[in-house]
Amino acid sequence: MFARVMTVKRNGRTYRYLAIVESYREGGKKRQRQVGTLGNIDRYSPEQIRNLIEKLQGFLSEGPLGTVKDLETHEVRDYGVPYV
């Protein structure tokens, strides 16, 4: 799933909506479907959008996948140039 900004023109005005889109395969072809919408993003301030992103990221840190910040480096090895 990913976020997509959808632009719609109506009555000479342009509206931008934030949608959650899912990719899937149907009959061997790639398809996409909208699974949710978060409304007109022009109505939100940058701070409200940041808060929304933080809330969504909160679901990741509690889930089985975690985030990049959850990764730990235990050992680093050099390959390639030092052995040439």
Side-chain angles (χ1 to χ4, degrees), residues 49-81:
I49 293 173
R50 273 190 217 95
N51 289 339
L52 175 63
I53 291 169
E54 288 174 8
K55 295 278 186 184
L56 291 172
Q57 285 177 335
F59 289 112
L60 289 176
S61 64
E62 295 175 12
L65 298 178
T67 65
V68 173
K69 294 177 183 176
D70 296 331
L71 298 175
E72 295 179 18
T73 303
H74 295 284
E75 184 178 344
V76 178
R77 294 184 183 189
D78 291 323
Y79 290 100
V81 176

Side-chain angles (χ1 to χ4, degrees), residues 8-62:
V8 177
K9 293 184 180 182
R10 288 190 192 135
N11 300 327
R13 294 190 63 192
T14 301
Y15 300 93
R16 295 183 322 140
Y17 296 94
L18 183 60
I20 306 298
V21 179
E22 171 183 54
S23 294
Y24 66 98
R25 288 190 178 268
E26 183 178 280
K29 294 184 179 181
K30 295 179 187 176
R31 304 270 184 195
Q32 295 178 348
R33 66 178 150 230
Q34 181 177 324
V35 295
T37 183
L38 301 175
N40 186 340
I41 63 170
D42 295 325
R43 293 184 180 179
Y44 299 110
S45 70
E47 183 62 31
Q48 289 174 318
I49 293 173
R50 273 190 217 95
N51 289 339
L52 175 63
I53 291 169
E54 288 174 8
K55 295 278 186 184
L56 291 172
Q57 285 177 335
F59 289 112
L60 289 176
S61 64
E62 295 175 12

